[in-house]
Amino acid sequence: MALLGNLLKGGLKLTVSIQREKNNHAKVQRKTLSKLLAKARYTQFGEKYNFEEILNTAVFDEGNTFYEKYKQFVPVHNYEKIFREWWHKAHEGEKNVCWPGRVKYFALSSGTSEAASKFIPVTKAMTKSFQRTSIRQILSLGRYEELPSDLYEKGFLMIGGSTDLSSIDEGRFQGDVSGINAANIPFWFERYYKPGPEIARERDWSRKLEKIVEEAPNWDIGFMAGVPAWLQIIMEKIIERYKLKNIHEIWPNLSVFGHGGVSFEPYRAGFEKLLGRPLIYIDTYLASEGFIAFQNRPHADGMRLVLDNGIFYEFVPFNDKNFTEDGELVPNPQTLMIDEVEEGVDYALLISTCSGAWRYLIGDTIKFANKQRAEITITGRTKHYLSLCGEHLSVENMNKAVELSAEELGITVKEFTVAGIRHDSLFAHQWYIGTDDEVDADALRDKIDGHLKVLNDDYIVERRHALKDVFVTVLPSATFLGWLAKRGKMGGQNKFPRVLKKNLIDEWEAYLQEQGLQVETVNLK
């Protein structure tokens, strides 16, 4: 067996035994926080917020006194606050700001709700954290008995941003976090990594796509990873170019798809039409700020949080006491450690990391599917939900309603988004559905609205009162890709926003007019 296979064979038993020992999640997390504070105590941030004193509390703490002291001393940050007060100095080249040393890499991230780029520090410690968790994810494949024994000798196709990073100054760079990680892959993994270093450097998404399609017959792919929409486009192009019935005719050993960034369920039907046989799907939660969780066993309830690899988590109940109607965090919100959470409750994530993020609102909402196993599911974004009048419509609700509606109507929905709008003196929801199949807009509208009434009690109440109308516009799926292209967001980790708010609504509608699309809304009486 080759090098990767030997590493996996030797490491699996160790990984399993380590996971069994770490059932006390709070103890593991306190240790993680202690290590982070100890490492950063002599930084500018650590000295300002008394990390040394917090650590002295940890020496004698058997409960959560240590954590309470951390909450008392260190304020909560969103991106704007921490960049304005701290990260801008690191981006300008200053050392020892929030983490020891000089930050070499910055991940460019705009999320999916804001236009301006964010500059997220990626330290050497975080690069190693990404690598360690990636190896754990690969090791976890050993738990899937149905996988072929030679899977580890096959190619791993990972679609992300360009490894040709932009220079900040001498020796420091910025780009997509997937590009940063690909530029720092371990030497022993290089022979398995596809599309390979040359194609990975390509910045132009269209040219990168063509090169991947051109090289596809030369690869023996067993594992794919990336945002579902981009992998689907790649497979469609390959099938079209080589006149195939399905992707397995060219990659017969393709067995696993590791997906992340968005819920896979709305894409599943269209994705599986491109396959010759079923794949094993592994959910992954990898953000610019860190590799947070991944599905580590078959038939898991969710993704297991990575608790011992440079990230400390806090959980903010996602409710009206802690967040405004616009999804902004209130001052001094209620925050919980992992032993204080409940299953089935929506929480916003705060993280403190080995990249110098401290009590940082990452913007995602999650809930615990299995607290004992620390398994979570992503339910949406703090600003990607609709609550114009108290309907509290989550991305999770939207994904499920679209998935069920598409299945019942026999169509493939490749993208969708929704906006909340004023309608007369009250409110309405405006849906834009991307599909290349023929569909009756009235039927699609009724299906989505009907499923949301079942999925969300608040929604059905408001449909009787302030939320008077629902509008649906059906568009070709290419419309959504065209908008991303116009914004320079093709490929990599870029996703279409599930909820359009503020200036994005006007930008989207202006784009539709530029394309000469006749947008007809359907009023639900």
Side-chain angles (χ1 to χ4, degrees), residues 202-231:
E202 177 60 63
R203 291 187 180 185
D204 184 272
W205 168 250
S206 297
R207 286 200 293 268
K208 176 181 282 189
L209 178 58
E210 286 305 312
K211 290 178 180 180
I212 290 172
V213 173
E214 191 68 30
E215 289 294 323
N218 301 321
W219 299 335
D220 184 8
I221 301 298
F223 182 101
M224 297 192 308
V227 174
W230 302 124
L231 266 300

PDB file of all heavy atoms in Angstrom, residues 202-231:
ATOM      1  N   GLU A 202      -4.522  28.617 -11.517  1.00  0.00           N
ATOM      2  CA  GLU A 202      -5.327  29.407 -12.457  1.00  0.00           C
ATOM      3  C   GLU A 202      -6.360  30.249 -11.703  1.00  0.00           C
ATOM      4  O   GLU A 202      -7.136  29.738 -10.901  1.00  0.00           O
ATOM      5  CB  GLU A 202      -6.032  28.472 -13.435  1.00  0.00           C
ATOM      6  CG  GLU A 202      -6.951  29.163 -14.422  1.00  0.00           C
ATOM      7  CD  GLU A 202      -6.217  30.167 -15.296  1.00  0.00           C
ATOM      8  OE1 GLU A 202      -5.327  29.740 -16.064  1.00  0.00           O
ATOM      9  OE2 GLU A 202      -6.532  31.367 -15.173  1.00  0.00           O
ATOM     10  N   ARG A 203      -6.364  31.547 -11.980  1.00  0.00           N
ATOM     11  CA  ARG A 203      -7.307  32.436 -11.307  1.00  0.00           C
ATOM     12  C   ARG A 203      -8.641  32.539 -12.034  1.00  0.00           C
ATOM     13  O   ARG A 203      -9.678  32.722 -11.404  1.00  0.00           O
ATOM     14  CB  ARG A 203      -6.702  33.843 -11.187  1.00  0.00           C
ATOM     15  CG  ARG A 203      -5.529  33.935 -10.217  1.00  0.00           C
ATOM     16  CD  ARG A 203      -5.110  35.384 -10.029  1.00  0.00           C
ATOM     17  NE  ARG A 203      -3.996  35.506  -9.101  1.00  0.00           N
ATOM     18  CZ  ARG A 203      -3.500  36.667  -8.695  1.00  0.00           C
ATOM     19  NH1 ARG A 203      -4.031  37.796  -9.148  1.00  0.00           N
ATOM     20  NH2 ARG A 203      -2.489  36.703  -7.858  1.00  0.00           N
ATOM     21  N   ASP A 204      -8.609  32.449 -13.362  1.00  0.00           N
ATOM     22  CA  ASP A 204      -9.827  32.589 -14.145  1.00  0.00           C
ATOM     23  C   ASP A 204     -10.637  31.292 -14.059  1.00  0.00           C
ATOM     24  O   ASP A 204     -10.169  30.225 -14.475  1.00  0.00           O
ATOM     25  CB  ASP A 204      -9.488  32.898 -15.595  1.00  0.00           C
ATOM     26  CG  ASP A 204     -10.724  33.153 -16.434  1.00  0.00           C
ATOM     27  OD1 ASP A 204     -11.281  32.156 -16.967  1.00  0.00           O
ATOM     28  OD2 ASP A 204     -11.141  34.314 -16.551  1.00  0.00           O
ATOM     29  N   TRP A 205     -11.852  31.391 -13.513  1.00  0.00           N
ATOM     30  CA  TRP A 205     -12.653  30.197 -13.286  1.00  0.00           C
ATOM     31  C   TRP A 205     -12.977  29.467 -14.584  1.00  0.00           C
ATOM     32  O   TRP A 205     -12.933  28.244 -14.643  1.00  0.00           O
ATOM     33  CB  TRP A 205     -13.943  30.563 -12.557  1.00  0.00           C
ATOM     34  CG  TRP A 205     -14.960  29.453 -12.532  1.00  0.00           C
ATOM     35  CD1 TRP A 205     -16.139  29.412 -13.190  1.00  0.00           C
ATOM     36  CD2 TRP A 205     -14.867  28.210 -11.818  1.00  0.00           C
ATOM     37  NE1 TRP A 205     -16.798  28.241 -12.942  1.00  0.00           N
ATOM     38  CE2 TRP A 205     -16.046  27.469 -12.097  1.00  0.00           C
ATOM     39  CE3 TRP A 205     -13.929  27.641 -10.975  1.00  0.00           C
ATOM     40  CZ2 TRP A 205     -16.291  26.227 -11.561  1.00  0.00           C
ATOM     41  CZ3 TRP A 205     -14.176  26.385 -10.435  1.00  0.00           C
ATOM     42  CH2 TRP A 205     -15.338  25.693 -10.729  1.00  0.00           C
ATOM     43  N   SER A 206     -13.280  30.200 -15.646  1.00  0.00           N
ATOM     44  CA  SER A 206     -13.632  29.564 -16.916  1.00  0.00           C
ATOM     45  C   SER A 206     -12.459  28.762 -17.467  1.00  0.00           C
ATOM     46  O   SER A 206     -12.620  27.630 -17.938  1.00  0.00           O
ATOM     47  CB  SER A 206     -14.076  30.616 -17.940  1.00  0.00           C
ATOM     48  OG  SER A 206     -15.242  31.264 -17.504  1.00  0.00           O
ATOM     49  N   ARG A 207     -11.253  29.355 -17.414  1.00  0.00           N
ATOM     50  CA  ARG A 207     -10.080  28.630 -17.908  1.00  0.00           C
ATOM     51  C   ARG A 207      -9.759  27.442 -17.017  1.00  0.00           C
ATOM     52  O   ARG A 207      -9.348  26.374 -17.496  1.00  0.00           O
ATOM     53  CB  ARG A 207      -8.876  29.579 -17.999  1.00  0.00           C
ATOM     54  CG  ARG A 207      -8.964  30.552 -19.158  1.00  0.00           C
ATOM     55  CD  ARG A 207      -7.602  31.124 -19.512  1.00  0.00           C
ATOM     56  NE  ARG A 207      -7.081  31.968 -18.448  1.00  0.00           N
ATOM     57  CZ  ARG A 207      -7.277  33.286 -18.387  1.00  0.00           C
ATOM     58  NH1 ARG A 207      -7.994  33.885 -19.329  1.00  0.00           N
ATOM     59  NH2 ARG A 207      -6.759  33.996 -17.402  1.00  0.00           N
ATOM     60  N   LYS A 208      -9.915  27.609 -15.701  1.00  0.00           N
ATOM     61  CA  LYS A 208      -9.670  26.495 -14.786  1.00  0.00           C
ATOM     62  C   LYS A 208     -10.636  25.350 -15.095  1.00  0.00           C
ATOM     63  O   LYS A 208     -10.241  24.174 -15.136  1.00  0.00           O
ATOM     64  CB  LYS A 208      -9.856  26.950 -13.335  1.00  0.00           C
ATOM     65  CG  LYS A 208      -9.712  25.823 -12.319  1.00  0.00           C
ATOM     66  CD  LYS A 208      -9.923  26.301 -10.893  1.00  0.00           C
ATOM     67  CE  LYS A 208      -8.696  27.013 -10.393  1.00  0.00           C
ATOM     68  NZ  LYS A 208      -8.773  27.312  -8.937  1.00  0.00           N
ATOM     69  N   LEU A 209     -11.887  25.695 -15.334  1.00  0.00           N
ATOM     70  CA  LEU A 209     -12.890  24.681 -15.652  1.00  0.00           C
ATOM     71  C   LEU A 209     -12.513  23.923 -16.922  1.00  0.00           C
ATOM     72  O   LEU A 209     -12.579  22.686 -16.978  1.00  0.00           O
ATOM     73  CB  LEU A 209     -14.255  25.350 -15.811  1.00  0.00           C
ATOM     74  CG  LEU A 209     -15.439  24.455 -16.192  1.00  0.00           C
ATOM     75  CD1 LEU A 209     -15.629  23.356 -15.173  1.00  0.00           C
ATOM     76  CD2 LEU A 209     -16.703  25.298 -16.313  1.00  0.00           C
ATOM     77  N   GLU A 210     -12.101  24.651 -17.955  1.00  0.00           N
ATOM     78  CA  GLU A 210     -11.729  23.997 -19.211  1.00  0.00           C
ATOM     79  C   GLU A 210     -10.530  23.076 -19.034  1.00  0.00           C
ATOM     80  O   GLU A 210     -10.471  21.986 -19.605  1.00  0.00           O
ATOM     81  CB  GLU A 210     -11.432  25.058 -20.275  1.00  0.00           C
ATOM     82  CG  GLU A 210     -12.675  25.746 -20.828  1.00  0.00           C
ATOM     83  CD  GLU A 210     -13.685  24.745 -21.383  1.00  0.00           C
ATOM     84  OE1 GLU A 210     -13.278  23.850 -22.156  1.00  0.00           O
ATOM     85  OE2 GLU A 210     -14.869  24.852 -21.032  1.00  0.00           O
ATOM     86  N   LYS A 211      -9.561  23.488 -18.239  1.00  0.00           N
ATOM     87  CA  LYS A 211      -8.383  22.657 -17.999  1.00  0.00           C
ATOM     88  C   LYS A 211      -8.750  21.392 -17.224  1.00  0.00           C
ATOM     89  O   LYS A 211      -8.216  20.308 -17.478  1.00  0.00           O
ATOM     90  CB  LYS A 211      -7.321  23.455 -17.243  1.00  0.00           C
ATOM     91  CG  LYS A 211      -6.676  24.550 -18.068  1.00  0.00           C
ATOM     92  CD  LYS A 211      -5.660  25.331 -17.253  1.00  0.00           C
ATOM     93  CE  LYS A 211      -5.011  26.440 -18.075  1.00  0.00           C
ATOM     94  NZ  LYS A 211      -4.021  27.217 -17.274  1.00  0.00           N
ATOM     95  N   ILE A 212      -9.653  21.510 -16.272  1.00  0.00           N
ATOM     96  CA  ILE A 212     -10.107  20.339 -15.516  1.00  0.00           C
ATOM     97  C   ILE A 212     -10.806  19.358 -16.440  1.00  0.00           C
ATOM     98  O   ILE A 212     -10.566  18.146 -16.398  1.00  0.00           O
ATOM     99  CB  ILE A 212     -11.039  20.770 -14.362  1.00  0.00           C
ATOM    100  CG1 ILE A 212     -10.236  21.508 -13.282  1.00  0.00           C
ATOM    101  CG2 ILE A 212     -11.750  19.563 -13.751  1.00  0.00           C
ATOM    102  CD1 ILE A 212     -11.095  22.131 -12.201  1.00  0.00           C
ATOM    103  N   VAL A 213     -11.689  19.885 -17.292  1.00  0.00           N
ATOM    104  CA  VAL A 213     -12.402  19.028 -18.242  1.00  0.00           C
ATOM    105  C   VAL A 213     -11.412  18.342 -19.180  1.00  0.00           C
ATOM    106  O   VAL A 213     -11.544  17.152 -19.497  1.00  0.00           O
ATOM    107  CB  VAL A 213     -13.432  19.853 -19.031  1.00  0.00           C
ATOM    108  CG1 VAL A 213     -14.058  19.007 -20.142  1.00  0.00           C
ATOM    109  CG2 VAL A 213     -14.521  20.384 -18.095  1.00  0.00           C
ATOM    110  N   GLU A 214     -10.410  19.074 -19.622  1.00  0.00           N
ATOM    111  CA  GLU A 214      -9.408  18.517 -20.538  1.00  0.00           C
ATOM    112  C   GLU A 214      -8.614  17.383 -19.893  1.00  0.00           C
ATOM    113  O   GLU A 214      -8.303  16.368 -20.526  1.00  0.00           O
ATOM    114  CB  GLU A 214      -8.447  19.635 -20.981  1.00  0.00           C
ATOM    115  CG  GLU A 214      -7.535  19.256 -22.126  1.00  0.00           C
ATOM    116  CD  GLU A 214      -8.267  19.062 -23.444  1.00  0.00           C
ATOM    117  OE1 GLU A 214      -9.309  19.716 -23.651  1.00  0.00           O
ATOM    118  OE2 GLU A 214      -7.799  18.233 -24.250  1.00  0.00           O
ATOM    119  N   GLU A 215      -8.281  17.533 -18.616  1.00  0.00           N
ATOM    120  CA  GLU A 215      -7.451  16.550 -17.925  1.00  0.00           C
ATOM    121  C   GLU A 215      -8.255  15.395 -17.316  1.00  0.00           C
ATOM    122  O   GLU A 215      -7.675  14.385 -16.914  1.00  0.00           O
ATOM    123  CB  GLU A 215      -6.653  17.233 -16.810  1.00  0.00           C
ATOM    124  CG  GLU A 215      -5.544  18.138 -17.303  1.00  0.00           C
ATOM    125  CD  GLU A 215      -4.447  17.371 -18.007  1.00  0.00           C
ATOM    126  OE1 GLU A 215      -4.123  16.248 -17.570  1.00  0.00           O
ATOM    127  OE2 GLU A 215      -3.922  17.869 -19.016  1.00  0.00           O
ATOM    128  N   ALA A 216      -9.562  15.534 -17.254  1.00  0.00           N
ATOM    129  CA  ALA A 216     -10.405  14.555 -16.553  1.00  0.00           C
ATOM    130  C   ALA A 216     -10.141  13.102 -16.943  1.00  0.00           C
ATOM    131  O   ALA A 216     -10.090  12.224 -16.067  1.00  0.00           O
ATOM    132  CB  ALA A 216     -11.883  14.906 -16.759  1.00  0.00           C
ATOM    133  N   PRO A 217      -9.951  12.763 -18.238  1.00  0.00           N
ATOM    134  CA  PRO A 217      -9.724  11.356 -18.592  1.00  0.00           C
ATOM    135  C   PRO A 217      -8.414  10.785 -18.038  1.00  0.00           C
ATOM    136  O   PRO A 217      -8.261   9.565 -17.958  1.00  0.00           O
ATOM    137  CB  PRO A 217      -9.688  11.378 -20.129  1.00  0.00           C
ATOM    138  CG  PRO A 217     -10.383  12.638 -20.524  1.00  0.00           C
ATOM    139  CD  PRO A 217     -10.062  13.608 -19.446  1.00  0.00           C
ATOM    140  N   ASN A 218      -7.489  11.647 -17.643  1.00  0.00           N
ATOM    141  CA  ASN A 218      -6.193  11.194 -17.148  1.00  0.00           C
ATOM    142  C   ASN A 218      -6.187  10.929 -15.653  1.00  0.00           C
ATOM    143  O   ASN A 218      -5.175  10.483 -15.108  1.00  0.00           O
ATOM    144  CB  ASN A 218      -5.118  12.238 -17.471  1.00  0.00           C
ATOM    145  CG  ASN A 218      -5.004  12.509 -18.954  1.00  0.00           C
ATOM    146  OD1 ASN A 218      -5.110  11.593 -19.766  1.00  0.00           O
ATOM    147  ND2 ASN A 218      -4.782  13.773 -19.321  1.00  0.00           N
ATOM    148  N   TRP A 219      -7.293  11.214 -14.993  1.00  0.00           N
ATOM    149  CA  TRP A 219      -7.353  11.067 -13.545  1.00  0.00           C
ATOM    150  C   TRP A 219      -8.208   9.873 -13.154  1.00  0.00           C
ATOM    151  O   TRP A 219      -9.184   9.534 -13.834  1.00  0.00           O
ATOM    152  CB  TRP A 219      -7.950  12.318 -12.901  1.00  0.00           C
ATOM    153  CG  TRP A 219      -7.179  13.578 -13.149  1.00  0.00           C
ATOM    154  CD1 TRP A 219      -5.858  13.684 -13.445  1.00  0.00           C
ATOM    155  CD2 TRP A 219      -7.698  14.912 -13.124  1.00  0.00           C
ATOM    156  NE1 TRP A 219      -5.506  15.007 -13.600  1.00  0.00           N
ATOM    157  CE2 TRP A 219      -6.617  15.788 -13.413  1.00  0.00           C
ATOM    158  CE3 TRP A 219      -8.955  15.459 -12.891  1.00  0.00           C
ATOM    159  CZ2 TRP A 219      -6.780  17.163 -13.460  1.00  0.00           C
ATOM    160  CZ3 TRP A 219      -9.102  16.826 -12.943  1.00  0.00           C
ATOM    161  CH2 TRP A 219      -8.028  17.672 -13.222  1.00  0.00           C
ATOM    162  N   ASP A 220      -7.866   9.267 -12.026  1.00  0.00           N
ATOM    163  CA  ASP A 220      -8.672   8.197 -11.432  1.00  0.00           C
ATOM    164  C   ASP A 220      -9.185   8.727 -10.098  1.00  0.00           C
ATOM    165  O   ASP A 220      -8.552   8.545  -9.056  1.00  0.00           O
ATOM    166  CB  ASP A 220      -7.811   6.940 -11.246  1.00  0.00           C
ATOM    167  CG  ASP A 220      -8.623   5.756 -10.722  1.00  0.00           C
ATOM    168  OD1 ASP A 220      -9.871   5.872 -10.644  1.00  0.00           O
ATOM    169  OD2 ASP A 220      -8.011   4.727 -10.373  1.00  0.00           O
ATOM    170  N   ILE A 221     -10.322   9.403 -10.136  1.00  0.00           N
ATOM    171  CA  ILE A 221     -10.836  10.107  -8.965  1.00  0.00           C
ATOM    172  C   ILE A 221     -11.668   9.163  -8.091  1.00  0.00           C
ATOM    173  O   ILE A 221     -12.563   8.480  -8.573  1.00  0.00           O
ATOM    174  CB  ILE A 221     -11.689  11.319  -9.384  1.00  0.00           C
ATOM    175  CG1 ILE A 221     -10.862  12.290 -10.232  1.00  0.00           C
ATOM    176  CG2 ILE A 221     -12.273  12.025  -8.155  1.00  0.00           C
ATOM    177  CD1 ILE A 221      -9.661  12.880  -9.524  1.00  0.00           C
ATOM    178  N   GLY A 222     -11.362   9.177  -6.804  1.00  0.00           N
ATOM    179  CA  GLY A 222     -12.146   8.404  -5.845  1.00  0.00           C
ATOM    180  C   GLY A 222     -12.912   9.280  -4.877  1.00  0.00           C
ATOM    181  O   GLY A 222     -13.904   8.861  -4.295  1.00  0.00           O
ATOM    182  N   PHE A 223     -12.440  10.522  -4.704  1.00  0.00           N
ATOM    183  CA  PHE A 223     -12.995  11.424  -3.694  1.00  0.00           C
ATOM    184  C   PHE A 223     -13.088  12.819  -4.300  1.00  0.00           C
ATOM    185  O   PHE A 223     -12.131  13.291  -4.918  1.00  0.00           O
ATOM    186  CB  PHE A 223     -12.067  11.437  -2.468  1.00  0.00           C
ATOM    187  CG  PHE A 223     -12.526  12.291  -1.315  1.00  0.00           C
ATOM    188  CD1 PHE A 223     -13.124  11.721  -0.212  1.00  0.00           C
ATOM    189  CD2 PHE A 223     -12.336  13.666  -1.321  1.00  0.00           C
ATOM    190  CE1 PHE A 223     -13.524  12.509   0.866  1.00  0.00           C
ATOM    191  CE2 PHE A 223     -12.739  14.464  -0.262  1.00  0.00           C
ATOM    192  CZ  PHE A 223     -13.337  13.876   0.840  1.00  0.00           C
ATOM    193  N   MET A 224     -14.236  13.476  -4.129  1.00  0.00           N
ATOM    194  CA  MET A 224     -14.419  14.859  -4.560  1.00  0.00           C
ATOM    195  C   MET A 224     -14.781  15.721  -3.356  1.00  0.00           C
ATOM    196  O   MET A 224     -15.477  15.254  -2.452  1.00  0.00           O
ATOM    197  CB  MET A 224     -15.531  14.994  -5.603  1.00  0.00           C
ATOM    198  CG  MET A 224     -15.302  14.286  -6.903  1.00  0.00           C
ATOM    199  SD  MET A 224     -16.520  14.792  -8.184  1.00  0.00           S
ATOM    200  CE  MET A 224     -18.091  14.539  -7.323  1.00  0.00           C
ATOM    201  N   ALA A 225     -14.328  16.966  -3.373  1.00  0.00           N
ATOM    202  CA  ALA A 225     -14.671  17.890  -2.292  1.00  0.00           C
ATOM    203  C   ALA A 225     -14.854  19.282  -2.859  1.00  0.00           C
ATOM    204  O   ALA A 225     -14.109  19.713  -3.746  1.00  0.00           O
ATOM    205  CB  ALA A 225     -13.581  17.892  -1.225  1.00  0.00           C
ATOM    206  N   GLY A 226     -15.868  19.990  -2.346  1.00  0.00           N
ATOM    207  CA  GLY A 226     -16.097  21.360  -2.784  1.00  0.00           C
ATOM    208  C   GLY A 226     -17.543  21.774  -2.603  1.00  0.00           C
ATOM    209  O   GLY A 226     -18.375  21.011  -2.075  1.00  0.00           O
ATOM    210  N   VAL A 227     -17.848  22.976  -3.033  1.00  0.00           N
ATOM    211  CA  VAL A 227     -19.224  23.487  -3.006  1.00  0.00           C
ATOM    212  C   VAL A 227     -20.043  22.727  -4.054  1.00  0.00           C
ATOM    213  O   VAL A 227     -19.612  22.599  -5.204  1.00  0.00           O
ATOM    214  CB  VAL A 227     -19.242  24.994  -3.291  1.00  0.00           C
ATOM    215  CG1 VAL A 227     -20.666  25.521  -3.404  1.00  0.00           C
ATOM    216  CG2 VAL A 227     -18.473  25.751  -2.203  1.00  0.00           C
ATOM    217  N   PRO A 228     -21.220  22.202  -3.692  1.00  0.00           N
ATOM    218  CA  PRO A 228     -21.985  21.342  -4.617  1.00  0.00           C
ATOM    219  C   PRO A 228     -22.229  21.958  -5.994  1.00  0.00           C
ATOM    220  O   PRO A 228     -22.102  21.273  -7.009  1.00  0.00           O
ATOM    221  CB  PRO A 228     -23.302  21.118  -3.871  1.00  0.00           C
ATOM    222  CG  PRO A 228     -22.940  21.239  -2.432  1.00  0.00           C
ATOM    223  CD  PRO A 228     -21.864  22.280  -2.373  1.00  0.00           C
ATOM    224  N   ALA A 229     -22.575  23.238  -6.052  1.00  0.00           N
ATOM    225  CA  ALA A 229     -22.914  23.855  -7.339  1.00  0.00           C
ATOM    226  C   ALA A 229     -21.747  23.789  -8.312  1.00  0.00           C
ATOM    227  O   ALA A 229     -21.931  23.501  -9.501  1.00  0.00           O
ATOM    228  CB  ALA A 229     -23.341  25.308  -7.123  1.00  0.00           C
ATOM    229  N   TRP A 230     -20.514  24.024  -7.824  1.00  0.00           N
ATOM    230  CA  TRP A 230     -19.354  24.039  -8.716  1.00  0.00           C
ATOM    231  C   TRP A 230     -18.966  22.635  -9.158  1.00  0.00           C
ATOM    232  O   TRP A 230     -18.588  22.413 -10.315  1.00  0.00           O
ATOM    233  CB  TRP A 230     -18.176  24.737  -8.042  1.00  0.00           C
ATOM    234  CG  TRP A 230     -18.489  26.135  -7.622  1.00  0.00           C
ATOM    235  CD1 TRP A 230     -18.380  26.667  -6.371  1.00  0.00           C
ATOM    236  CD2 TRP A 230     -18.986  27.205  -8.442  1.00  0.00           C
ATOM    237  NE1 TRP A 230     -18.775  27.986  -6.355  1.00  0.00           N
ATOM    238  CE2 TRP A 230     -19.151  28.345  -7.618  1.00  0.00           C
ATOM    239  CE3 TRP A 230     -19.305  27.308  -9.795  1.00  0.00           C
ATOM    240  CZ2 TRP A 230     -19.616  29.559  -8.107  1.00  0.00           C
ATOM    241  CZ3 TRP A 230     -19.767  28.519 -10.280  1.00  0.00           C
ATOM    242  CH2 TRP A 230     -19.929  29.626  -9.438  1.00  0.00           C
ATOM    243  N   LEU A 231     -19.067  21.648  -8.250  1.00  0.00           N
ATOM    244  CA  LEU A 231     -18.781  20.264  -8.647  1.00  0.00           C
ATOM    245  C   LEU A 231     -19.801  19.772  -9.660  1.00  0.00           C
ATOM    246  O   LEU A 231     -19.475  19.028 -10.592  1.00  0.00           O
ATOM    247  CB  LEU A 231     -18.769  19.356  -7.420  1.00  0.00           C
ATOM    248  CG  LEU A 231     -17.414  19.080  -6.755  1.00  0.00           C
ATOM    249  CD1 LEU A 231     -16.451  18.424  -7.731  1.00  0.00           C
ATOM    250  CD2 LEU A 231     -16.801  20.336  -6.183  1.00  0.00           C
TER     251      LEU A 231
END
